[in-house]
Amino acid sequence: MIKTPYYLIDKSKLLRNMEKIAYVREHSGAKALLALKCFATWSVFDLMSQYMDGTTSSSLNEVKLGKLKFGGETHAYSVAYADDEIEEVLAHSDKIIFNSIGQLERFDAASAGQVRGLRLNPGVSSSEFLIADPSRPFSRLGEWDAAKVEQVLDRISGFMIHNNCENSDFALFDQMLGQIEEKFGPLLAQPRISWVSLGGGIHFTGEGYPLDRFCARLKAFAERYGVQLYLEPGEAAITLSTSLEVTVLDTLYNGKQLAIVDSSIEAHMLDLLIYRQPAKMDPCDGPHQYMVCGKSCLAGDIFGEFRFDHELKVGDRLSFIDAAGYTMVKKNWFNGVSMPAIAVRQLDGSVELVREFGFDDFVNSLS
């Protein structure tokens, strides 16, 4: 048995998402780029690269990772590029997307030979959380004034518009795409504009999502404006593919039954702490309810409350599901809690331990 804690990526579950992405590519004409900001565990890129067209990034490090480990198209985006990194960004990307007209003008000469795009902000989004809302008041994410954008059309050939966030509602996606067309339609219809990325956050691999209606909407949009569409699935690419495997270290009672495990929500599932959401575990309707807690010193290091069909004891193993998106990329060394290893269940059912982290990794992450 692999020593806990560890992330377990199941390729058979990952494949289900890849097949839905392939279906959308085929029936809509859209290309699909993996959003590395959500998931960047390159040990499974061998499978994912067979079903996706490349990667999109949010930093120089992600650009290089996508180019070197995934292949295909490599789109570079960043909220702001620094002078000392732009040359390397350009060398490792096929397209560069600037967040603002200011950045486009600042790096105009350096990027003149590159396919260039600009991020647009339509002012609407599906986010329920202000912290993740790209269209929040005073947002720094993209240009919103169509008149200003029109003045730099001669320097770009495409746009990126990312305003979906965990959006599993096709009707809402359709409505917001209509609002984008209403606000930016004249820009999209310009002859120079040959590609448009609709970003990520569209949960089209979820159960029951109307894929055919989605494909038809994408195809109609692409044909109306004469553009190559791109999608940037992150969570949609890896949803329900990965678990965080942990072991119970202690149990106690303090008004509720508590179980402490060898992991930490702040260190290993940080997004759940940020958004005040519980971890997920396969449903169990047993009579024994426990609050499962992490081992860090943070008082609120709590995975959630779960029911079990037996009393938990030291040594029991628990499995938190859906633990890949915005989780593995955010893991950290808080409290020096052991970093989870990474294991992959191959398509033949065998489990391979692909990476462990030890004291040297902890030391080398500091100074």
Side-chain angles (χ1 to χ4, degrees):
M1 294 181 70
I2 300 173
K3 185 180 184 300
T4 59
Y6 66 93
Y7 299 104
L8 176 61
I9 307 171
D10 190 325
K11 277 190 174 180
S12 66
K13 295 178 180 179
L14 184 61
L15 182 59
R16 298 173 196 168
N17 298 323
M18 294 297 102
E19 289 172 340
K20 289 185 178 181
I21 289 173
Y23 184 91
V24 170
R25 289 169 68 205
E26 179 183 356
H27 291 84
S28 72
K31 294 185 177 182
L33 307 175
L34 175 64
L36 295 174
K37 65 180 180 179
C38 174
F39 181 79
T41 305
W42 51 266
S43 57
V44 291
F45 284 0
D46 60 332
L47 174 65
M48 302 180 81
S49 61
Q50 298 177 48
Y51 294 86
M52 303 184 74
D53 297 284
T55 58
T56 185
S57 60
S58 299
S59 66
L60 171 58
N61 284 336
E62 287 184 354
V63 170
K64 293 171 67 175
L65 180 70
K67 184 72 170 181
L68 299 175
K69 294 293 188 180
F70 199 100
E73 293 191 41
T74 306
H75 288 203
Y77 167 77
S78 176
V79 173
Y81 296 106
D83 289 340
D84 63 355
E85 64 183 8
I86 191 67
E87 183 178 346
E88 206 169 359
V89 168
L90 293 167
H92 286 84
S93 60
D94 305 296
K95 290 183 176 69
I96 184 166
I97 300 164
F98 292 102
N99 182 67
S100 69
I101 292 173
Q103 282 265 299
L104 172 63
E105 293 177 336
R106 178 177 175 182
F107 298 113
D108 186 22
S111 64
Q114 195 90 340
V115 177
R116 301 185 294 195
L118 186 66
R119 179 169 183 171
L120 300 180
N121 191 328
V124 293
S125 85
S126 65
S127 177
E128 297 178 359
F129 303 98
L130 183 64
I131 190 174
D133 186 353
S135 297
R136 61 188 283 163
F138 318 114
S139 174
R140 73 199 192 285
L141 301 176
E143 294 285 353
W144 58 271
D145 189 331
K148 288 183 179 179
V149 174
E150 191 172 5
Q151 296 173 19
V152 297
L153 280 178
D154 60 330
R155 307 185 199 184
I156 60 176
S157 62
F159 296 114
M160 189 267 275
I161 308 167
H162 173 44
N163 67 327
N164 286 278
C165 180
E166 295 187 356
N167 185 6
S168 59
D169 184 344
F170 170 74
L172 178 58
F173 166 79
D174 181 34
Q175 173 190 323
M176 291 197 304
L177 190 56
Q179 291 172 298
I180 288 170
E181 292 181 280
E182 184 177 346
K183 183 177 180 66
F184 294 126
L187 294 177
L188 300 172
Q190 292 291 324
R192 284 190 55 86
I193 301 304
S194 60
W195 58 273
V196 173
S197 172
L198 295 180
I202 310 165
H203 198 46
F204 63 89
T205 58
E207 192 68 30
Y209 194 87
L211 283 181
D212 290 327
R213 292 172 64 196
F214 181 57
C215 291
R217 184 66 172 95
L218 295 177
K219 189 172 183 178
F221 180 95
E223 290 176 349
R224 178 178 182 182
Y225 298 104
V227 295
Q228 172 62 60
L229 266 187
Y230 287 90
L231 302 174
E232 301 178 4
E235 185 71 44
I238 46 78
T239 186
L240 294 174
S241 68
T242 303
S243 60
L244 174 61
E245 305 294 318
V246 303
T247 298
V248 176
L249 300 180
D250 193 14
T251 61
L252 60 154
Y253 181 81
N254 188 7
K256 288 185 177 182
Q257 295 289 350
L258 310 177
I260 300 172
V261 299
D262 59 353
S263 181
S264 162
I265 190 171
E266 181 165 20
H268 305 154
M269 301 190 82
L270 182 59
D271 237 28
L272 300 181
L273 185 66
I274 293 172
Y275 293 105
R276 303 292 194 268
Q277 295 177 323
K280 300 175 186 176
M281 193 177 289
D282 282 329
C284 180
D285 296 323
H288 304 282
Q289 182 166 320
Y290 285 82
M291 179 183 287
V292 179
C293 310
K295 65 174 294 183
S296 82
C297 67
L298 179 70
D301 193 350
I302 299 167
F303 287 90
E305 296 191 34
F306 308 93
R307 305 193 74 87
F308 301 90
D309 57 9
H310 63 282
E311 292 185 5
L312 295 183
K313 62 182 185 301
V314 173
D316 282 351
R317 291 204 169 197
L318 307 180
S319 179
F320 296 111
I321 63 172
D322 207 10
Y326 295 100
T327 296
M328 299 178 75
V329 294
K330 291 189 177 185
K331 62 186 183 297
N332 59 71
W333 287 106
F334 178 65
N335 267 197
V337 176
S338 294
M339 186 77 73
I342 299 173
V344 175
R345 178 174 284 120
Q346 303 293 348
L347 293 176
D348 64 4
S350 62
V351 176
E352 177 187 358
L353 179 63
V354 297
R355 180 67 197 272
E356 291 183 285
F357 302 90
F359 177 69
D360 288 343
D361 297 296
F362 171 60
V363 172
N364 292 331
S365 70
L366 302 168
S367 60

